[in-house]
Amino acid sequence: MNKELRVGVIVKTHGIRGEVKVYPTTDSPMRFNEITDIKLKLGKKVKQLKIEDVHYFKNLAILKFEGLDRIEDVEAYKGAELYVSREDATELSEDEYYIADLIDIEVYSDEGKYIGRLKDVLETGANDVYIVSREDDKDLLLPAIHDCIKEINIEENKMTVHIMDGLLDL
């Protein structure tokens, strides 16, 4: 399991006072109101920052970091990813998982047949869709619904699914 979870990506600067626009990669964008310490990663550059102020515009969070008070201080951070430690992450309900924990999990049918590895999650609004990379075949798209996803065991790195009629016909 990852010790850190990505909560956003800096898309561009905002104004001239060191603010940045952040695209949230979390289910609860208002979460930035509760975060004080955040880790910025851009390539091999890693920097620990403190959030001084947060406000929102449309689907973006606008963040102001302590000590970065000019546009020149934050211009280089466009495209940087923002992370929180797992201890500071939002608590999950039953049957909820962090996407970071699902990536690369091995996927098996409810008949015990190996299908592939989960390579990505599409967040569609209605329900998530799991993209499973299969050897020697095209990717399999699985709706993240109880009829299809039977069990997820993060500790064993295993997901058991029921292949519903028509899913393999695409």
Side-chain angles (χ1 to χ4, degrees), residues 6 8-14 17-23 38-51 61 63-83:
R6 188 177 75 169
V9 177
I10 296 176
V11 291
K12 61 182 178 175
T13 59
H14 177 76
R17 294 192 171 94
E19 293 179 313
V20 293
K21 289 184 178 181
V22 174
Y23 178 77
I38 201 157
K39 188 176 280 187
L40 179 142
K41 294 183 181 180
L42 183 63
K44 294 184 181 195
K45 183 184 234 178
V46 177
K47 186 171 186 145
Q48 195 69 40
L49 298 171
K50 288 201 176 295
I51 297 176
L63 304 184
K64 168 73 177 75
F65 300 114
E66 233 175 62
L68 303 177
D69 300 319
R70 302 172 311 134
I71 189 171
E72 294 83 8
D73 297 336
V74 294
E75 279 181 320
Y77 297 141
K78 290 178 194 173
E81 296 179 329
L82 301 175
Y83 289 82

mmCIF file of all heavy atoms in Angstrom, residues 6 8-14 17-23 38-51 61 63-83:
data_model
loop_
_atom_site.group_PDB
_atom_site.id
_atom_site.type_symbol
_atom_site.label_atom_id
_atom_site.label_comp_id
_atom_site.label_asym_id
_atom_site.label_seq_id
_atom_site.Cartn_x
_atom_site.Cartn_y
_atom_site.Cartn_z
ATOM 1 N N ARG A 6 -2.547 10.704 -3.606
ATOM 2 C CA ARG A 6 -2.646 11.933 -4.397
ATOM 3 C C ARG A 6 -4.026 12.552 -4.206
ATOM 4 O O ARG A 6 -5.033 11.876 -4.321
ATOM 5 C CB ARG A 6 -2.395 11.633 -5.871
ATOM 6 C CG ARG A 6 -2.295 12.906 -6.705
ATOM 7 C CD ARG A 6 -1.973 12.607 -8.123
ATOM 8 N NE ARG A 6 -3.184 12.082 -8.739
ATOM 9 C CZ ARG A 6 -3.342 11.895 -10.032
ATOM 10 N NH1 ARG A 6 -2.364 12.134 -10.854
ATOM 11 N NH2 ARG A 6 -4.461 11.429 -10.512
ATOM 12 N N GLY A 8 -4.520 15.943 -5.596
ATOM 13 C CA GLY A 8 -4.720 16.967 -6.613
ATOM 14 C C GLY A 8 -3.512 17.180 -7.491
ATOM 15 O O GLY A 8 -2.426 16.665 -7.210
ATOM 16 N N VAL A 9 -3.752 17.947 -8.566
ATOM 17 C CA VAL A 9 -2.704 18.302 -9.520
ATOM 18 C C VAL A 9 -2.806 19.802 -9.779
ATOM 19 O O VAL A 9 -3.895 20.319 -10.056
ATOM 20 C CB VAL A 9 -2.857 17.533 -10.848
ATOM 21 C CG1 VAL A 9 -1.808 17.959 -11.845
ATOM 22 C CG2 VAL A 9 -2.798 16.029 -10.618
ATOM 23 N N ILE A 10 -1.687 20.494 -9.678
ATOM 24 C CA ILE A 10 -1.673 21.934 -9.955
ATOM 25 C C ILE A 10 -1.785 22.135 -11.463
ATOM 26 O O ILE A 10 -0.969 21.628 -12.227
ATOM 27 C CB ILE A 10 -0.387 22.589 -9.419
ATOM 28 C CG1 ILE A 10 -0.346 22.473 -7.893
ATOM 29 C CG2 ILE A 10 -0.303 24.057 -9.862
ATOM 30 C CD1 ILE A 10 0.915 23.004 -7.248
ATOM 31 N N VAL A 11 -2.826 22.860 -11.889
ATOM 32 C CA VAL A 11 -3.032 23.067 -13.323
ATOM 33 C C VAL A 11 -2.477 24.398 -13.813
ATOM 34 O O VAL A 11 -2.032 24.496 -14.957
ATOM 35 C CB VAL A 11 -4.516 22.922 -13.729
ATOM 36 C CG1 VAL A 11 -4.962 21.491 -13.594
ATOM 37 C CG2 VAL A 11 -5.430 23.823 -12.928
ATOM 38 N N LYS A 12 -2.503 25.420 -12.954
ATOM 39 C CA LYS A 12 -1.900 26.700 -13.339
ATOM 40 C C LYS A 12 -1.904 27.654 -12.163
ATOM 41 O O LYS A 12 -2.470 27.374 -11.120
ATOM 42 C CB LYS A 12 -2.601 27.315 -14.545
ATOM 43 C CG LYS A 12 -4.060 27.646 -14.367
ATOM 44 C CD LYS A 12 -4.586 28.195 -15.677
ATOM 45 C CE LYS A 12 -6.055 28.511 -15.619
ATOM 46 N NZ LYS A 12 -6.524 29.138 -16.844
ATOM 47 N N THR A 13 -1.250 28.786 -12.373
ATOM 48 C CA THR A 13 -1.224 29.805 -11.326
ATOM 49 C C THR A 13 -2.552 30.554 -11.325
ATOM 50 O O THR A 13 -3.333 30.473 -12.278
ATOM 51 C CB THR A 13 -0.073 30.798 -11.560
ATOM 52 O OG1 THR A 13 -0.264 31.412 -12.840
ATOM 53 C CG2 THR A 13 1.269 30.104 -11.505
ATOM 54 N N HIS A 14 -2.782 31.304 -10.239
ATOM 55 C CA HIS A 14 -3.997 32.105 -10.117
ATOM 56 C C HIS A 14 -3.603 33.453 -9.530
ATOM 57 O O HIS A 14 -3.162 33.538 -8.384
ATOM 58 C CB HIS A 14 -5.011 31.403 -9.213
ATOM 59 C CG HIS A 14 -6.257 32.195 -8.991
ATOM 60 N ND1 HIS A 14 -7.238 32.305 -9.952
ATOM 61 C CD2 HIS A 14 -6.682 32.913 -7.912
ATOM 62 C CE1 HIS A 14 -8.214 33.050 -9.480
ATOM 63 N NE2 HIS A 14 -7.897 33.437 -8.247
ATOM 64 N N ARG A 17 -0.388 36.634 -6.464
ATOM 65 C CA ARG A 17 -0.001 36.523 -5.054
ATOM 66 C C ARG A 17 0.390 35.108 -4.630
ATOM 67 O O ARG A 17 0.292 34.765 -3.460
ATOM 68 C CB ARG A 17 -1.128 37.044 -4.180
ATOM 69 C CG ARG A 17 -1.339 38.536 -4.388
ATOM 70 C CD ARG A 17 -2.246 39.126 -3.333
ATOM 71 N NE ARG A 17 -2.260 40.561 -3.435
ATOM 72 C CZ ARG A 17 -3.170 41.245 -4.120
ATOM 73 N NH1 ARG A 17 -4.120 40.612 -4.771
ATOM 74 N NH2 ARG A 17 -3.113 42.555 -4.145
ATOM 75 N N GLY A 18 0.797 34.288 -5.575
ATOM 76 C CA GLY A 18 1.302 32.958 -5.235
ATOM 77 C C GLY A 18 0.248 31.873 -5.110
ATOM 78 O O GLY A 18 0.529 30.805 -4.577
ATOM 79 N N GLU A 19 -0.947 32.124 -5.594
ATOM 80 C CA GLU A 19 -1.989 31.096 -5.536
ATOM 81 C C GLU A 19 -1.907 30.193 -6.761
ATOM 82 O O GLU A 19 -1.446 30.613 -7.825
ATOM 83 C CB GLU A 19 -3.381 31.743 -5.474
ATOM 84 C CG GLU A 19 -3.635 32.492 -4.186
ATOM 85 C CD GLU A 19 -5.006 33.139 -4.171
ATOM 86 O OE1 GLU A 19 -5.380 33.788 -5.175
ATOM 87 O OE2 GLU A 19 -5.707 32.990 -3.160
ATOM 88 N N VAL A 20 -2.384 28.947 -6.591
ATOM 89 C CA VAL A 20 -2.426 27.994 -7.701
ATOM 90 C C VAL A 20 -3.806 27.378 -7.799
ATOM 91 O O VAL A 20 -4.511 27.226 -6.793
ATOM 92 C CB VAL A 20 -1.368 26.874 -7.540
ATOM 93 C CG1 VAL A 20 0.036 27.430 -7.656
ATOM 94 C CG2 VAL A 20 -1.551 26.110 -6.239
ATOM 95 N N LYS A 21 -4.192 27.023 -9.034
ATOM 96 C CA LYS A 21 -5.433 26.298 -9.261
ATOM 97 C C LYS A 21 -5.101 24.817 -9.263
ATOM 98 O O LYS A 21 -4.176 24.378 -9.947
ATOM 99 C CB LYS A 21 -6.061 26.700 -10.596
ATOM 100 C CG LYS A 21 -6.626 28.101 -10.597
ATOM 101 C CD LYS A 21 -7.315 28.417 -11.899
ATOM 102 C CE LYS A 21 -7.911 29.815 -11.858
ATOM 103 N NZ LYS A 21 -8.613 30.138 -13.119
ATOM 104 N N VAL A 22 -5.880 24.058 -8.490
ATOM 105 C CA VAL A 22 -5.626 22.634 -8.321
ATOM 106 C C VAL A 22 -6.852 21.845 -8.771
ATOM 107 O O VAL A 22 -7.975 22.120 -8.328
ATOM 108 C CB VAL A 22 -5.308 22.307 -6.843
ATOM 109 C CG1 VAL A 22 -5.187 20.807 -6.631
ATOM 110 C CG2 VAL A 22 -4.042 23.028 -6.411
ATOM 111 N N TYR A 23 -6.598 20.854 -9.643
ATOM 112 C CA TYR A 23 -7.660 19.926 -10.012
ATOM 113 C C TYR A 23 -7.673 18.813 -8.965
ATOM 114 O O TYR A 23 -6.703 18.072 -8.833
ATOM 115 C CB TYR A 23 -7.421 19.339 -11.406
ATOM 116 C CG TYR A 23 -8.481 18.346 -11.793
ATOM 117 C CD1 TYR A 23 -9.734 18.781 -12.199
ATOM 118 C CD2 TYR A 23 -8.244 16.979 -11.708
ATOM 119 C CE1 TYR A 23 -10.723 17.875 -12.528
ATOM 120 C CE2 TYR A 23 -9.228 16.068 -12.036
ATOM 121 C CZ TYR A 23 -10.463 16.523 -12.443
ATOM 122 O OH TYR A 23 -11.448 15.625 -12.754
ATOM 123 N N ILE A 38 0.991 19.348 3.119
ATOM 124 C CA ILE A 38 0.833 18.660 1.838
ATOM 125 C C ILE A 38 2.214 18.501 1.202
ATOM 126 O O ILE A 38 3.100 19.316 1.430
ATOM 127 C CB ILE A 38 -0.143 19.440 0.926
ATOM 128 C CG1 ILE A 38 -0.714 18.556 -0.150
ATOM 129 C CG2 ILE A 38 0.490 20.692 0.363
ATOM 130 C CD1 ILE A 38 -2.035 19.054 -0.699
ATOM 131 N N LYS A 39 2.373 17.445 0.441
ATOM 132 C CA LYS A 39 3.645 17.190 -0.229
ATOM 133 C C LYS A 39 3.452 17.449 -1.716
ATOM 134 O O LYS A 39 2.521 16.937 -2.335
ATOM 135 C CB LYS A 39 4.091 15.747 0.004
ATOM 136 C CG LYS A 39 5.497 15.484 -0.518
ATOM 137 C CD LYS A 39 5.939 14.080 -0.195
ATOM 138 C CE LYS A 39 6.400 14.021 1.230
ATOM 139 N NZ LYS A 39 6.993 12.723 1.578
ATOM 140 N N LEU A 40 4.335 18.252 -2.279
ATOM 141 C CA LEU A 40 4.320 18.580 -3.698
ATOM 142 C C LEU A 40 5.389 17.746 -4.390
ATOM 143 O O LEU A 40 6.530 17.692 -3.929
ATOM 144 C CB LEU A 40 4.598 20.068 -3.877
ATOM 145 C CG LEU A 40 4.645 20.598 -5.300
ATOM 146 C CD1 LEU A 40 4.023 21.978 -5.362
ATOM 147 C CD2 LEU A 40 6.059 20.655 -5.816
ATOM 148 N N LYS A 41 5.016 17.071 -5.478
ATOM 149 C CA LYS A 41 5.972 16.276 -6.252
ATOM 150 C C LYS A 41 5.906 16.714 -7.708
ATOM 151 O O LYS A 41 4.844 16.742 -8.311
ATOM 152 C CB LYS A 41 5.651 14.784 -6.163
ATOM 153 C CG LYS A 41 5.833 14.197 -4.781
ATOM 154 C CD LYS A 41 5.567 12.699 -4.791
ATOM 155 C CE LYS A 41 5.719 12.107 -3.408
ATOM 156 N NZ LYS A 41 5.466 10.652 -3.414
ATOM 157 N N LEU A 42 7.066 17.047 -8.237
ATOM 158 C CA LEU A 42 7.194 17.426 -9.646
ATOM 159 C C LEU A 42 8.472 16.789 -10.158
ATOM 160 O O LEU A 42 9.576 17.238 -9.836
ATOM 161 C CB LEU A 42 7.245 18.946 -9.806
ATOM 162 C CG LEU A 42 7.305 19.471 -11.234
ATOM 163 C CD1 LEU A 42 6.042 19.094 -12.011
ATOM 164 C CD2 LEU A 42 7.470 20.982 -11.246
ATOM 165 N N GLY A 43 8.316 15.710 -10.923
ATOM 166 C CA GLY A 43 9.483 14.952 -11.351
ATOM 167 C C GLY A 43 10.166 14.372 -10.132
ATOM 168 O O GLY A 43 9.548 13.723 -9.309
ATOM 169 N N LYS A 44 11.450 14.640 -9.997
ATOM 170 C CA LYS A 44 12.189 14.148 -8.829
ATOM 171 C C LYS A 44 12.172 15.150 -7.683
ATOM 172 O O LYS A 44 12.661 14.873 -6.599
ATOM 173 C CB LYS A 44 13.631 13.824 -9.227
ATOM 174 C CG LYS A 44 13.705 12.662 -10.189
ATOM 175 C CD LYS A 44 15.123 12.292 -10.504
ATOM 176 C CE LYS A 44 15.102 11.130 -11.493
ATOM 177 N NZ LYS A 44 16.375 10.470 -11.608
ATOM 178 N N LYS A 45 11.619 16.322 -7.932
ATOM 179 C CA LYS A 45 11.555 17.370 -6.908
ATOM 180 C C LYS A 45 10.393 17.086 -5.954
ATOM 181 O O LYS A 45 9.264 16.846 -6.373
ATOM 182 C CB LYS A 45 11.350 18.717 -7.594
ATOM 183 C CG LYS A 45 11.333 19.901 -6.667
ATOM 184 C CD LYS A 45 11.021 21.164 -7.458
ATOM 185 C CE LYS A 45 12.104 22.171 -7.194
ATOM 186 N NZ LYS A 45 11.913 23.403 -7.944
ATOM 187 N N VAL A 46 10.694 17.078 -4.668
ATOM 188 C CA VAL A 46 9.685 16.873 -3.632
ATOM 189 C C VAL A 46 9.820 18.003 -2.622
ATOM 190 O O VAL A 46 10.921 18.322 -2.180
ATOM 191 C CB VAL A 46 9.882 15.508 -2.930
ATOM 192 C CG1 VAL A 46 8.879 15.339 -1.805
ATOM 193 C CG2 VAL A 46 9.779 14.366 -3.928
ATOM 194 N N LYS A 47 8.680 18.601 -2.276
ATOM 195 C CA LYS A 47 8.711 19.736 -1.351
ATOM 196 C C LYS A 47 7.525 19.630 -0.397
ATOM 197 O O LYS A 47 6.400 19.394 -0.831
ATOM 198 C CB LYS A 47 8.641 21.036 -2.156
ATOM 199 C CG LYS A 47 8.804 22.275 -1.346
ATOM 200 C CD LYS A 47 8.940 23.498 -2.254
ATOM 201 C CE LYS A 47 9.254 24.690 -1.399
ATOM 202 N NZ LYS A 47 10.131 25.621 -2.018
ATOM 203 N N GLN A 48 7.791 19.786 0.884
ATOM 204 C CA GLN A 48 6.741 19.797 1.899
ATOM 205 C C GLN A 48 6.228 21.227 2.028
ATOM 206 O O GLN A 48 7.022 22.153 2.181
ATOM 207 C CB GLN A 48 7.294 19.299 3.227
ATOM 208 C CG GLN A 48 6.244 18.930 4.236
ATOM 209 C CD GLN A 48 5.448 17.694 3.862
ATOM 210 O OE1 GLN A 48 5.986 16.725 3.355
ATOM 211 N NE2 GLN A 48 4.151 17.741 4.096
ATOM 212 N N LEU A 49 4.907 21.405 1.946
ATOM 213 C CA LEU A 49 4.314 22.740 2.014
ATOM 214 C C LEU A 49 3.193 22.782 3.044
ATOM 215 O O LEU A 49 2.615 21.757 3.385
ATOM 216 C CB LEU A 49 3.746 23.134 0.645
ATOM 217 C CG LEU A 49 4.728 23.241 -0.513
ATOM 218 C CD1 LEU A 49 3.987 23.419 -1.823
ATOM 219 C CD2 LEU A 49 5.689 24.395 -0.291
ATOM 220 N N LYS A 50 2.888 23.995 3.493
ATOM 221 C CA LYS A 50 1.751 24.223 4.380
ATOM 222 C C LYS A 50 0.725 25.056 3.621
ATOM 223 O O LYS A 50 1.072 26.053 2.996
ATOM 224 C CB LYS A 50 2.177 24.960 5.642
ATOM 225 C CG LYS A 50 2.983 24.106 6.598
ATOM 226 C CD LYS A 50 2.914 24.696 7.996
ATOM 227 C CE LYS A 50 3.611 23.824 8.999
ATOM 228 N NZ LYS A 50 3.012 22.535 9.191
ATOM 229 N N ILE A 51 -0.516 24.629 3.670
ATOM 230 C CA ILE A 51 -1.598 25.371 3.019
ATOM 231 C C ILE A 51 -2.023 26.506 3.949
ATOM 232 O O ILE A 51 -2.372 26.291 5.102
ATOM 233 C CB ILE A 51 -2.788 24.450 2.692
ATOM 234 C CG1 ILE A 51 -2.353 23.385 1.690
ATOM 235 C CG2 ILE A 51 -3.959 25.269 2.156
ATOM 236 C CD1 ILE A 51 -3.424 22.364 1.358
ATOM 237 N N ALA A 61 -9.846 23.796 -6.820
ATOM 238 C CA ALA A 61 -9.488 24.385 -5.530
ATOM 239 C C ALA A 61 -8.383 25.398 -5.800
ATOM 240 O O ALA A 61 -7.476 25.136 -6.589
ATOM 241 C CB ALA A 61 -8.993 23.307 -4.576
ATOM 242 N N LEU A 63 -5.396 27.219 -4.029
ATOM 243 C CA LEU A 63 -4.597 27.100 -2.820
ATOM 244 C C LEU A 63 -3.538 28.186 -2.745
ATOM 245 O O LEU A 63 -2.953 28.572 -3.748
ATOM 246 C CB LEU A 63 -3.882 25.743 -2.772
ATOM 247 C CG LEU A 63 -4.728 24.481 -2.875
ATOM 248 C CD1 LEU A 63 -3.850 23.252 -2.713
ATOM 249 C CD2 LEU A 63 -5.838 24.469 -1.858
ATOM 250 N N LYS A 64 -3.293 28.620 -1.534
ATOM 251 C CA LYS A 64 -2.201 29.552 -1.229
ATOM 252 C C LYS A 64 -1.318 28.847 -0.222
ATOM 253 O O LYS A 64 -1.781 28.388 0.818
ATOM 254 C CB LYS A 64 -2.779 30.848 -0.642
ATOM 255 C CG LYS A 64 -1.757 31.777 -0.022
ATOM 256 C CD LYS A 64 -0.911 32.458 -1.077
ATOM 257 C CE LYS A 64 0.058 33.449 -0.479
ATOM 258 N NZ LYS A 64 1.205 32.846 0.177
ATOM 259 N N PHE A 65 -0.028 28.719 -0.552
ATOM 260 C CA PHE A 65 0.925 28.054 0.327
ATOM 261 C C PHE A 65 1.688 29.079 1.158
ATOM 262 O O PHE A 65 2.014 30.159 0.665
ATOM 263 C CB PHE A 65 1.918 27.214 -0.488
ATOM 264 C CG PHE A 65 1.269 26.148 -1.318
ATOM 265 C CD1 PHE A 65 1.313 26.213 -2.708
ATOM 266 C CD2 PHE A 65 0.622 25.078 -0.727
ATOM 267 C CE1 PHE A 65 0.718 25.231 -3.490
ATOM 268 C CE2 PHE A 65 0.024 24.088 -1.492
ATOM 269 C CZ PHE A 65 0.076 24.166 -2.875
ATOM 270 N N GLU A 66 1.996 28.704 2.382
ATOM 271 C CA GLU A 66 2.770 29.559 3.276
ATOM 272 C C GLU A 66 4.148 29.853 2.674
ATOM 273 O O GLU A 66 4.833 28.951 2.196
ATOM 274 C CB GLU A 66 2.981 28.811 4.603
ATOM 275 C CG GLU A 66 2.572 29.579 5.809
ATOM 276 C CD GLU A 66 2.694 28.726 7.056
ATOM 277 O OE1 GLU A 66 3.811 28.290 7.392
ATOM 278 O OE2 GLU A 66 1.645 28.507 7.679
ATOM 279 N N GLY A 67 4.531 31.120 2.657
ATOM 280 C CA GLY A 67 5.867 31.504 2.204
ATOM 281 C C GLY A 67 6.017 31.651 0.699
ATOM 282 O O GLY A 67 7.074 32.060 0.221
ATOM 283 N N LEU A 68 5.004 31.303 -0.069
ATOM 284 C CA LEU A 68 5.037 31.483 -1.527
ATOM 285 C C LEU A 68 4.037 32.579 -1.851
ATOM 286 O O LEU A 68 2.851 32.328 -1.993
ATOM 287 C CB LEU A 68 4.687 30.170 -2.246
ATOM 288 C CG LEU A 68 5.568 28.964 -1.897
ATOM 289 C CD1 LEU A 68 5.081 27.720 -2.623
ATOM 290 C CD2 LEU A 68 7.018 29.240 -2.226
ATOM 291 N N ASP A 69 4.546 33.809 -1.956
ATOM 292 C CA ASP A 69 3.669 34.977 -2.005
ATOM 293 C C ASP A 69 3.622 35.686 -3.354
ATOM 294 O O ASP A 69 2.920 36.684 -3.491
ATOM 295 C CB ASP A 69 4.105 35.984 -0.922
ATOM 296 C CG ASP A 69 4.026 35.364 0.463
ATOM 297 O OD1 ASP A 69 3.049 34.644 0.732
ATOM 298 O OD2 ASP A 69 4.959 35.583 1.267
ATOM 299 N N ARG A 70 4.396 35.198 -4.314
ATOM 300 C CA ARG A 70 4.426 35.847 -5.632
ATOM 301 C C ARG A 70 4.204 34.794 -6.712
ATOM 302 O O ARG A 70 4.495 33.616 -6.515
ATOM 303 C CB ARG A 70 5.786 36.515 -5.865
ATOM 304 C CG ARG A 70 6.153 37.547 -4.804
ATOM 305 C CD ARG A 70 7.580 38.079 -4.927
ATOM 306 N NE ARG A 70 8.531 36.996 -5.058
ATOM 307 C CZ ARG A 70 9.518 36.967 -5.960
ATOM 308 N NH1 ARG A 70 9.703 37.955 -6.790
ATOM 309 N NH2 ARG A 70 10.348 35.937 -6.016
ATOM 310 N N ILE A 71 3.713 35.229 -7.843
ATOM 311 C CA ILE A 71 3.487 34.315 -8.956
ATOM 312 C C ILE A 71 4.780 33.599 -9.349
ATOM 313 O O ILE A 71 4.778 32.419 -9.689
ATOM 314 C CB ILE A 71 2.845 35.042 -10.165
ATOM 315 C CG1 ILE A 71 2.406 34.026 -11.221
ATOM 316 C CG2 ILE A 71 3.782 36.091 -10.734
ATOM 317 C CD1 ILE A 71 1.583 34.618 -12.351
ATOM 318 N N GLU A 72 5.893 34.295 -9.236
ATOM 319 C CA GLU A 72 7.195 33.709 -9.591
ATOM 320 C C GLU A 72 7.554 32.531 -8.674
ATOM 321 O O GLU A 72 8.288 31.631 -9.065
ATOM 322 C CB GLU A 72 8.313 34.766 -9.519
ATOM 323 C CG GLU A 72 8.197 35.875 -10.529
ATOM 324 C CD GLU A 72 7.246 37.005 -10.111
ATOM 325 O OE1 GLU A 72 6.766 37.026 -8.955
ATOM 326 O OE2 GLU A 72 6.981 37.870 -10.954
ATOM 327 N N ASP A 73 7.022 32.535 -7.453
ATOM 328 C CA ASP A 73 7.306 31.463 -6.496
ATOM 329 C C ASP A 73 6.614 30.157 -6.860
ATOM 330 O O ASP A 73 7.047 29.085 -6.426
ATOM 331 C CB ASP A 73 6.859 31.862 -5.080
ATOM 332 C CG ASP A 73 7.597 33.063 -4.539
ATOM 333 O OD1 ASP A 73 8.732 33.334 -5.003
ATOM 334 O OD2 ASP A 73 7.043 33.745 -3.646
ATOM 335 N N VAL A 74 5.518 30.235 -7.632
ATOM 336 C CA VAL A 74 4.720 29.028 -7.907
ATOM 337 C C VAL A 74 4.653 28.639 -9.381
ATOM 338 O O VAL A 74 4.164 27.565 -9.708
ATOM 339 C CB VAL A 74 3.286 29.179 -7.340
ATOM 340 C CG1 VAL A 74 3.310 29.246 -5.830
ATOM 341 C CG2 VAL A 74 2.572 30.374 -7.936
ATOM 342 N N GLU A 75 5.154 29.481 -10.267
ATOM 343 C CA GLU A 75 5.079 29.177 -11.707
ATOM 344 C C GLU A 75 5.695 27.832 -12.070
ATOM 345 O O GLU A 75 5.181 27.123 -12.915
ATOM 346 C CB GLU A 75 5.766 30.284 -12.517
ATOM 347 C CG GLU A 75 4.901 31.493 -12.716
ATOM 348 C CD GLU A 75 5.595 32.571 -13.531
ATOM 349 O OE1 GLU A 75 6.806 32.799 -13.331
ATOM 350 O OE2 GLU A 75 4.907 33.171 -14.369
ATOM 351 N N ALA A 76 6.769 27.482 -11.427
ATOM 352 C CA ALA A 76 7.473 26.233 -11.748
ATOM 353 C C ALA A 76 6.706 24.999 -11.301
ATOM 354 O O ALA A 76 7.069 23.879 -11.671
ATOM 355 C CB ALA A 76 8.854 26.240 -11.088
ATOM 356 N N TYR A 77 5.636 25.162 -10.534
ATOM 357 C CA TYR A 77 4.907 24.015 -9.989
ATOM 358 C C TYR A 77 3.730 23.575 -10.857
ATOM 359 O O TYR A 77 2.981 22.666 -10.466
ATOM 360 C CB TYR A 77 4.430 24.313 -8.571
ATOM 361 C CG TYR A 77 5.577 24.553 -7.615
ATOM 362 C CD1 TYR A 77 5.495 25.527 -6.636
ATOM 363 C CD2 TYR A 77 6.746 23.808 -7.683
ATOM 364 C CE1 TYR A 77 6.539 25.747 -5.759
ATOM 365 C CE2 TYR A 77 7.798 24.028 -6.809
ATOM 366 C CZ TYR A 77 7.690 25.000 -5.855
ATOM 367 O OH TYR A 77 8.723 25.215 -4.983
ATOM 368 N N LYS A 78 3.550 24.161 -12.021
ATOM 369 C CA LYS A 78 2.473 23.716 -12.917
ATOM 370 C C LYS A 78 2.703 22.243 -13.251
ATOM 371 O O LYS A 78 3.803 21.837 -13.609
ATOM 372 C CB LYS A 78 2.461 24.537 -14.206
ATOM 373 C CG LYS A 78 2.027 25.962 -14.012
ATOM 374 C CD LYS A 78 2.092 26.721 -15.326
ATOM 375 C CE LYS A 78 1.991 28.199 -15.100
ATOM 376 N NZ LYS A 78 2.206 28.967 -16.322
ATOM 377 N N GLY A 79 1.649 21.446 -13.093
ATOM 378 C CA GLY A 79 1.742 20.010 -13.374
ATOM 379 C C GLY A 79 2.167 19.184 -12.171
ATOM 380 O O GLY A 79 2.161 17.954 -12.224
ATOM 381 N N ALA A 80 2.520 19.828 -11.072
ATOM 382 C CA ALA A 80 2.945 19.093 -9.871
ATOM 383 C C ALA A 80 1.753 18.374 -9.243
ATOM 384 O O ALA A 80 0.618 18.846 -9.295
ATOM 385 C CB ALA A 80 3.567 20.048 -8.860
ATOM 386 N N GLU A 81 2.041 17.221 -8.664
ATOM 387 C CA GLU A 81 1.022 16.451 -7.967
ATOM 388 C C GLU A 81 1.116 16.739 -6.477
ATOM 389 O O GLU A 81 2.206 16.937 -5.936
ATOM 390 C CB GLU A 81 1.224 14.959 -8.224
ATOM 391 C CG GLU A 81 1.040 14.604 -9.694
ATOM 392 C CD GLU A 81 1.256 13.125 -9.971
ATOM 393 O OE1 GLU A 81 2.067 12.480 -9.274
ATOM 394 O OE2 GLU A 81 0.600 12.621 -10.888
ATOM 395 N N LEU A 82 -0.043 16.757 -5.806
ATOM 396 C CA LEU A 82 -0.110 17.035 -4.381
ATOM 397 C C LEU A 82 -0.555 15.780 -3.632
ATOM 398 O O LEU A 82 -1.511 15.116 -4.050
ATOM 399 C CB LEU A 82 -1.085 18.178 -4.106
ATOM 400 C CG LEU A 82 -0.750 19.508 -4.794
ATOM 401 C CD1 LEU A 82 -1.858 20.525 -4.554
ATOM 402 C CD2 LEU A 82 0.587 20.038 -4.307
ATOM 403 N N TYR A 83 0.157 15.458 -2.558
ATOM 404 C CA TYR A 83 -0.098 14.232 -1.803
ATOM 405 C C TYR A 83 -0.292 14.526 -0.321
ATOM 406 O O TYR A 83 0.272 15.470 0.208
ATOM 407 C CB TYR A 83 1.102 13.280 -1.927
ATOM 408 C CG TYR A 83 1.250 12.673 -3.301
ATOM 409 C CD1 TYR A 83 1.873 13.368 -4.325
ATOM 410 C CD2 TYR A 83 0.766 11.398 -3.570
ATOM 411 C CE1 TYR A 83 2.007 12.814 -5.585
ATOM 412 C CE2 TYR A 83 0.901 10.831 -4.826
ATOM 413 C CZ TYR A 83 1.521 11.544 -5.832
ATOM 414 O OH TYR A 83 1.645 10.993 -7.078
#
